[in-house]
Amino acid sequence: MGAAMRRIQAGSALSAFGLGFTVPYLYVYVAQVRDLGAATAGVVLAVFAMAALVVLPFSGRAIDRRGPVPVLIVASLLASVGALGMGFAASVPTAVGSAALLGAGTAVTQPALATMIVWCSTPVTRTRSFATQFFLQNLGLGVGGLIGGQLVDASRPNSFLLLFSIEAVMFLVLAGIVMTVRMPESAVLADKRPGGKAGGGVKALLGHKAMVQLCVLGFVLFFACYGQFESGLAAYGTEAAGIDPSTLGIALAANTAVIVAAQFLVLKFVERRKRTRVIASVGLIWTVAWLFAGYAGLGHGSQAMATAAFISTYALFGLGEAMLSPTVAPLVADLAPESMVGTYNSAFALVKQLALAVGPAVGGPMGAALHGPYIVTFVLFSLGITVLAVRLGKRLTPVQNQPSLAASKVVARREPEREHAAA
């Protein structure tokens, strides 16, 4: 890993560490600590998500035209101002405005970081680079959440100001680190700007059938897993399975633990296999996870068995996430034309954000009231992941689907050259 990549990964991990301090406590902070009410807290969370949906369609074009570094610096500064503003948010307008800045800034950092990783890697090393980023971000979120939980005190608003201040500083640190990164010579923008009028990049993307299929697959992936973590699945667990609310924290910890423990073990398995087959197997793993959840809430076992099955659901989700991190993001990059890496990364980030917005809206009410249909629905969505992945595989070139083939071809070409030189 080169010096530039190490700095990118460090900045990414530290920004995730900062987010971990505040994200789990945002609702409680607005509704109870600032005494602005549950309705205002809901609006703040909605604005946080909607701000991302507003800025992501424009961020890709900016990244491709200006480069990921200046875009990432601006996004980090916006997020820092939003985080600090949230710490002082004693009124509804301040809370909503700060949430908009924080949501917009946080959203844009992801495709900008992804584009920097693409420019500082090759198709062969990209798989490991994205897996490392996912591992470090989850570790940062987990550690940040644990430390934040020790510092926070609902009776002392100043303790939340400390959390948001730490988050603001971490975004400034990200901006500072990025300013020191020297991008490779091949990443010079002068000859890479998309031609044509505004909107041509999006039209080109929509005409790329493999990318459109990957976006559809991505929506189903995020809708069926991430979009259910804190809403539908949590509601189902407490209502249908009788899970104690504190057990939800244990389940999320199990999810993170599996990701951290399995990431690099899984990477060795993933690197030598077709990406679409890996994604298809994730669909099957998540099908089993939803069946475990079904047993937890609809089976007639003991409470201990139901709790174990529910925690296993989150653990299996973590295994699937560990398999996806070195697979999906690098595939987006490998499908992108050289001049549209930012546009492709932002488009996929937008798809993810849409899934995270729709997922709780659909899953929350179902998980709370329609227990059987909820499980059946997401078993079918998980099986749909497998079907969509197999179909996508037919549109990819062999090297796009399995980058290790490119490395083996290079080795195969070099061996005869060595033999010729020896002769």
Side-chain angles (χ1 to χ4, degrees):
M1 188 186 293
M5 184 65 78
R6 283 195 295 271
R7 293 182 184 186
I8 294 167
Q9 300 286 22
S12 177
L14 287 171
S15 64
F17 174 71
L19 277 171
F21 272 87
T22 62
V23 169
Y25 315 110
L26 193 55
Y27 182 90
V28 173
Y29 170 69
V30 175
Q32 299 175 13
V33 177
R34 288 298 182 182
D35 199 25
L36 297 177
T40 301
V43 170
V44 165
L45 291 173
V47 167
F48 183 84
M50 290 302 296
L53 296 178
V54 170
V55 298
L56 281 172
F58 305 100
S59 62
R61 192 78 168 164
I63 290 169
D64 289 331
R65 287 189 173 277
R66 303 295 179 186
V69 173
V71 173
L72 184 52
I73 290 171
V74 171
S76 299
L77 294 176
L78 282 177
S80 181
V81 172
L84 193 60
M86 190 63 73
F88 289 101
S91 66
V92 174
T94 307
V96 171
S98 299
L101 290 175
L102 183 57
T106 303
V108 176
T109 60
Q110 294 309 309
L113 281 167
T115 303
M116 291 183 74
I117 290 174
V118 171
W119 282 7
C120 292
S121 64
T122 66
V124 176
T125 63
R126 201 163 289 153
T127 296
R128 188 166 289 268
S129 297
F130 276 103
T132 301
Q133 185 201 28
F134 185 74
F135 168 81
L136 291 175
Q137 283 187 331
N138 274 277
L139 190 61
L141 281 169
V143 173
L146 286 173
I147 297 176
Q150 301 304 310
L151 297 177
V152 74
D153 184 349
S155 65
R156 292 190 302 113
N158 282 342
S159 67
F160 285 87
L161 176 58
L162 175 61
L163 297 191
F164 284 107
S165 297
I166 292 171
E167 181 181 27
V169 169
M170 289 299 105
F171 278 114
L172 292 178
V173 170
L174 172 61
I177 289 175
V178 167
M179 290 174 70
T180 68
V181 174
R182 294 190 64 180
M183 302 301 290
E185 290 296 323
S186 60
V188 174
L189 282 172
D191 300 323
K192 290 189 176 182
R193 296 183 182 179
K197 57 186 177 181
V202 175
K203 290 179 181 177
L205 186 151
L206 293 176
H208 190 171
K209 292 183 179 180
M211 182 58 187
V212 171
Q213 282 192 2
L214 180 57
C215 286
V216 172
L217 173 58
F219 182 89
V220 177
L221 282 167
F222 294 118
F223 178 76
C225 175
Y226 301 87
Q228 303 308 313
F229 268 4
E230 296 174 7
S231 58
L233 196 53
Y236 170 84
T238 53
E239 296 291 340
I243 300 297
D244 189 272
S246 62
T247 305
L248 295 175
I250 298 173
L252 284 168
N255 173 266
T256 303
V258 168
I259 291 171
V260 172
Q263 183 64 83
F264 292 104
L265 295 174
V266 165
L267 185 59
K268 294 179 180 179
F269 169 82
V270 168
E271 282 181 318
R272 294 292 173 183
R273 283 164 178 81
K274 291 182 178 179
R275 286 166 166 170
T276 51
R277 288 186 181 177
V278 173
I279 299 170
S281 64
V282 170
L284 297 178
I285 290 170
W286 285 358
T287 299
V288 174
W290 282 107
L291 291 175
F292 270 70
Y295 171 78
L298 305 174
H300 300 289
S302 65
Q303 187 60 47
M305 290 291 288
T307 301
F310 190 75
I311 293 173
S312 298
T313 299
Y314 277 78
L316 287 170
F317 276 142
L319 178 60
E321 291 172 71
M323 295 170 69
L324 289 175
S325 64
T327 308
V328 176
L331 181 54
V332 174
D334 290 348
L335 287 176
E338 201 171 22
S339 62
M340 292 179 62
V341 174
T343 298
Y344 273 55
N345 279 321
S346 293
F348 198 76
L350 178 62
V351 167
K352 177 180 179 180
Q353 198 65 36
L354 282 169
L356 294 180
V358 175
V362 173
M366 285 187 71
L370 303 172
H371 304 149
Y374 179 69
I375 295 298
V376 171
T377 297
F378 285 95
V379 165
L380 293 176
F381 267 102
S382 298
L383 292 173
I385 291 168
T386 302
V387 173
L388 290 170
V390 171
R391 289 185 61 189
L392 176 62
K394 298 174 182 178
R395 286 204 176 271
L396 303 179
T397 66
V399 172
Q400 285 173 339
N401 207 1
Q402 191 173 347
S404 59
L405 294 176
S408 63
K409 287 177 182 177
V410 170
V411 173
R413 281 201 303 269
R414 286 179 179 172
E415 290 301 327
E417 288 174 7
R418 290 177 183 172
E419 291 175 11
H420 178 72

